[in-house]
Amino acid sequence: MASADTNLGGSEESTRTSGSMTRSGASTRRPSGPVDSWESDLTSIQHALTFVLTLKEEFVCPVCRGVVLNPQQNSCGHIFCYRCLQTLLESSSPSNPVCPVEGAVITPAEVFQDNCCKREISCLEVYCTNYPECTSVVTLQHLKDHLSSCQYELLQCTNLGCRAVLQRRHLQDHLTNGCSHRMEPRPLCLSQDPMQSSCPQTDVDCPNGCSQKVPRHKLSEHSQACPDVFIDCSYRRFGCPVQDKRARVKLHEDAAVSHHMLLVLRSNTHLEQQVELLQEEALLRKQELQTDSLHLAGLQKKVRLLLQQTSNHEHVFSAAQRTVSRQEGVLSTTQLDIQQTTRGLGSGLEDLEQLRKSLDAVIKEISAAEAFKKHLETLEEDLRRQSSLLEVHSAQLSHNHQHLQELAATSYDGKLIWKIVDFRKRREAEAKGQSPCLTSSPFHTGRCGYKMAAKVYLNGDGEGRGSHLSLYVVLMPGDFDALLPWPFKQNVSLSVLDISGAGNHRILSFRPDPTSKSFQRPAADSFSNVASGFSCFIPLNKLENPQNALYVDDDTLFVKVKVDMTGLETL
């Protein structure tokens, strides 16, 4: 299964030379002073960062193998973290500090802070460290600001004596209702309680850094309107990338109305074009289906006529056979009479002539019967050909009907909602060895994007057989594979949806392994690549009897597949 580990290090080898010294604007300064505050805050999570794009090798510290923080360039052109370089210089011989990359002697007087590299690194985009629960993407220098307000960040309870660690979104409820160490306020909190730090009526500073003081019990309500809370632009789903404090986002939304309207118009135009294309294709398929239906009706009519003709010919042939049988009896009798006449000679000559004429007539009837038999065989051969042609047209009609259904169910936005009916019946059949897995209709990441499908083993597969539901996604040969980047690198999330409305969906995500054959370009003559996903997606007992969710209702299960479209260029 693919993983979502930090993608430090790239395939390109890049070494900074004296040219980068010129770019930094300082060639002989000593190492700079203390690290900037945002870089100092990231030191503890330096190796847990996941970058949106593959981190260039020149931005990887040769000592700690993490992203370079407060970059310092040594005399041979390599970039180090400030703290890593200081440690290297302190641990080396004073007269002989050596670069760990090339072994060249480092001259401390020539070490300087590379501000150009620092600016580039500070603008790199990273995923929130709480990914995949939090899907936010921010620049490296704003990551700590995001974590200070991320609802999925782990925080320790502030009540004295409590060691509980919870996500920020659950902390307020825990402090108010769930913590066993919380201080219960007296009515109106009028007493001079020395434990003012837990009084809900006490005015406290806003945790988001704004200048307001708010009663402790209204902190959650205040955060919904706090101007210093980081939020996304309300037009983000139309393509606006702005993420900032609420007050600045409000100013941005007021100032960029025209730009936002253009984004909405562009999105609507794209959707209308897709709908028109689908309607035209559906109309064309409908016309083809009507034409095939008319052709099939004509063929059925011809077959019925041929069957009637065959039935009539069979009656005639049976009558001819009976006539031939009777004539054969007459012929036998005639032969006996001829023998008797031959013995008698004389007066039997006239009777012999009569018998010869009768024999000639019988021979003509037999010849006619044989010709009729050959004609009947020809008609039977025509009937077989017409039946074969009818089967071909029926198969083509069925294929067109199936293709029309697939077109109606196909999506082009990288998402699939799959409705699986008769869940228990299908699972029992799979447990008996029938229909080992189910495959969804194909879906695409765009009109010219990757073609994919979902696979599910209702009774489990591999490690999860008999105990878990197994869920996978598979790449299929598409019409535009030659234009797409390979291997496939987009994050994929698989979900079993909660039908109760509580939103407790079962979601697991993975990031493709570029070295796996499952994510290479599918061969044109194959049906699909090897599927990739989770053999133990969800235990069967939790699937059918969950505590706070409803996954199977009316014997129906809903599965969702979502492809992260970030960084995927539309052709």
Side-chain angles (χ1 to χ4, degrees):
M1 184 189 74
S3 64
D5 295 337
T6 303
N7 54 345
L8 291 178
S11 60
E12 299 179 358
E13 292 292 337
S14 176
T15 304
R16 291 181 174 260
T17 61
S18 59
S20 59
M21 292 183 185
T22 303
R23 183 186 63 179
S24 68
S27 60
T28 58
R29 292 185 301 177
R30 294 179 179 273
S32 65
V35 184
D36 286 352
S37 60
W38 69 268
E39 293 176 303
S40 177
D41 292 338
L42 294 182
T43 303
S44 60
I45 58 173
Q46 181 178 9
H47 295 84
L49 300 175
T50 302
F51 290 84
V52 175
L53 300 177
T54 302
L55 189 63
K56 296 180 180 179
E57 183 65 24
E58 61 183 299
F59 295 153
V60 179
C61 177
V63 177
C64 66
R65 299 307 297 171
V67 63
V68 177
L69 297 178
N70 195 7
Q72 306 292 315
Q73 185 176 144
N74 67 7
S75 54
C76 62
H78 293 101
I79 307 300
F80 298 85
C81 295
Y82 173 80
R83 294 188 179 184
C84 294
L85 185 58
Q86 288 296 100
T87 303
L88 179 64
L89 295 176
E90 292 172 0
S91 62
S92 302
S93 172
S95 60
N96 193 28
V98 177
C99 175
V101 179
E102 295 181 349
V105 176
I106 299 176
T107 304
E110 297 181 1
V111 175
F112 63 92
Q113 178 172 291
D114 193 334
N115 289 324
C116 183
C117 178
K118 182 174 182 177
R119 285 193 296 272
E120 292 182 27
I121 292 175
S122 66
C123 294
L124 294 177
E125 291 186 332
V126 295
Y127 293 101
C128 175
T129 55
N130 298 308
Y131 180 87
E133 291 180 299
C134 178
T135 58
S136 297
V137 175
V138 297
T139 57
L140 189 61
Q141 63 181 338
H142 292 138
L143 177 59
K144 204 62 183 181
D145 293 336
H146 166 73
L147 293 178
S148 66
S149 61
C150 179
Q151 294 301 306
Y152 298 93
E153 182 73 358
L154 294 177
L155 301 174
Q156 185 170 350
C157 177
T158 57
N159 288 333
L160 187 64
C162 181
R163 296 184 178 181
V165 178
L166 308 95
Q167 293 180 349
R168 179 176 277 109
R169 56 180 178 153
H170 299 143
L171 181 60
Q172 186 60 41
D173 181 67
H174 170 78
L175 291 172
T176 305
N177 304 315
C179 182
S180 59
H181 295 80
R182 70 184 185 278
M183 300 295 293
E184 293 292 343
R186 297 179 182 180
L188 299 181
C189 209
L190 298 176
S191 65
Q192 298 298 322
D193 189 348
M195 299 299 291
Q196 289 293 320
S197 60
S198 61
C199 176
Q201 298 292 336
T202 300
D203 289 340
V204 296
D205 293 330
C206 172
N208 298 309
C210 75
S211 59
Q212 300 183 41
K213 286 186 174 292
V214 185
R216 181 175 281 108
H217 72 282
K218 292 187 177 181
L219 283 176
S220 177
E221 178 182 347
H222 169 70
S223 66
Q224 302 300 318
C226 179
D228 284 354
V229 172
F230 275 82
I231 62 172
D232 292 325
C233 175
S234 57
Y235 291 86
R236 181 179 182 87
R237 64 191 182 96
F238 295 105
C240 183
V242 173
Q243 182 187 54
D244 209 332
K245 293 182 179 181
R246 178 179 276 109
R248 295 178 183 174
V249 170
K250 178 61 177 175
L251 293 176
H252 159 73
E253 290 177 350
D254 293 339
V257 173
S258 299
H259 177 63
H260 289 158
M261 292 302 100
L262 182 61
L263 291 176
V264 174
L265 179 60
R266 188 181 301 164
S267 176
N268 290 343
T269 302
H270 180 64
L271 291 175
E272 289 175 356
Q273 291 174 350
Q274 287 186 331
V275 170
E276 290 176 358
L277 288 175
L278 288 175
Q279 289 176 343
E280 291 175 359
E281 193 167 359
L283 181 60
L284 180 61
R285 296 299 179 186
K286 184 177 180 180
Q287 292 174 350
E288 291 179 355
L289 183 62
Q290 291 175 348
T291 302
D292 290 341
S293 299
L294 293 174
H295 191 194
L296 179 61
L299 290 175
Q300 289 175 338
K301 185 176 181 180
K302 290 181 180 180
V303 169
R304 284 195 294 270
L305 292 175
L306 288 174
L307 291 174
Q308 293 176 357
Q309 292 178 1
T310 302
S311 177
N312 295 334
H313 291 321
E314 287 178 350
H315 290 305
V316 174
F317 184 69
S318 298
Q321 285 182 328
R322 289 194 294 271
T323 301
V324 169
S325 298
R326 287 196 300 271
Q327 295 299 334
E328 287 177 349
V330 173
L331 181 59
S332 299
T333 303
T334 302
Q335 288 176 343
L336 292 175
D337 292 340
I338 289 174
Q339 291 176 358
Q340 294 175 359
T341 303
T342 301
R343 294 190 189 99
L345 298 176
S347 60
L349 293 176
E350 293 182 359
D351 293 334
L352 180 60
E353 187 64 26
Q354 293 286 339
L355 289 174
R356 284 180 179 175
K357 292 179 179 179
S358 299
L359 182 59
D360 292 336
V362 170
I363 291 174
K364 289 180 181 180
E365 291 183 0
I366 292 174
S367 298
E370 290 293 337
F372 184 79
K373 182 177 180 181
K374 290 181 180 180
H375 180 64
L376 184 60
E377 292 175 351
T378 302
L379 290 177
E380 290 177 344
E381 181 65 24
D382 290 341
L383 177 60
R384 284 194 293 270
R385 284 199 301 268
Q386 293 294 338
S387 298
S388 176
L389 184 60
L390 179 61
E391 292 176 356
V392 171
H393 282 283
S394 296
Q396 181 64 35
L397 181 61
S398 177
H399 174 73
N400 290 342
H401 182 66
Q402 181 180 0
H403 184 58
L404 183 60
Q405 288 180 334
E406 289 183 359
L407 285 176
T410 298
S411 69
Y412 294 92
D413 57 356
K415 298 179 182 178
L416 170 69
I417 302 295
W418 183 13
K419 180 180 180 181
I420 302 175
V421 299
D422 296 332
F423 170 79
R424 293 177 178 82
K425 181 179 179 181
R426 291 174 182 264
R427 180 189 164 196
E428 291 175 359
E430 185 175 319
K432 296 177 182 179
Q434 306 170 2
S435 301
C437 76
L438 302 176
T439 303
S440 72
S441 299
F443 67 100
H444 303 75
T445 60
R447 292 294 302 178
C448 303
Y450 298 96
K451 182 178 181 182
M452 311 174 74
K455 288 196 172 194
V456 63
Y457 291 79
L458 300 180
N459 196 50
D461 175 50
E463 296 180 1
R465 183 168 181 80
S467 62
H468 289 72
L469 179 139
S470 302
L471 189 56
Y472 303 93
V473 69
V474 61
L475 284 170
M476 306 174 71
D479 295 334
F480 304 96
D481 287 350
L483 304 178
L484 299 174
W486 298 99
F488 178 80
K489 297 181 180 179
Q490 303 304 120
N491 292 352
V492 179
S493 64
L494 305 175
S495 309
V496 172
L497 300 182
D498 176 14
I499 313 175
S500 68
N504 295 324
H505 310 307
R506 176 73 172 185
I507 305 174
L508 292 178
S509 303
F510 69 86
R511 188 170 191 174
D513 181 1
T515 62
S516 173
K517 293 183 179 180
S518 298
F519 304 104
Q520 307 301 320
R521 178 180 175 181
D525 56 350
S526 66
F527 177 75
S528 67
N529 283 358
V530 177
S532 183
F534 304 92
S535 58
C536 298
F537 187 85
I538 183 173
L540 294 175
N541 58 348
K542 291 186 178 180
L543 179 66
E544 297 194 71
N545 298 293
Q547 295 182 353
N548 300 316
L550 179 62
Y551 298 123
V552 180
D553 185 30
D554 197 20
D555 208 25
T556 300
L557 178 72
F558 287 91
V559 171
K560 178 180 180 181
V561 180
K562 179 181 179 182
V563 178
D564 185 3
M565 308 291 281
T566 302
L568 188 61
E569 181 180 358
T570 303
L571 295 178

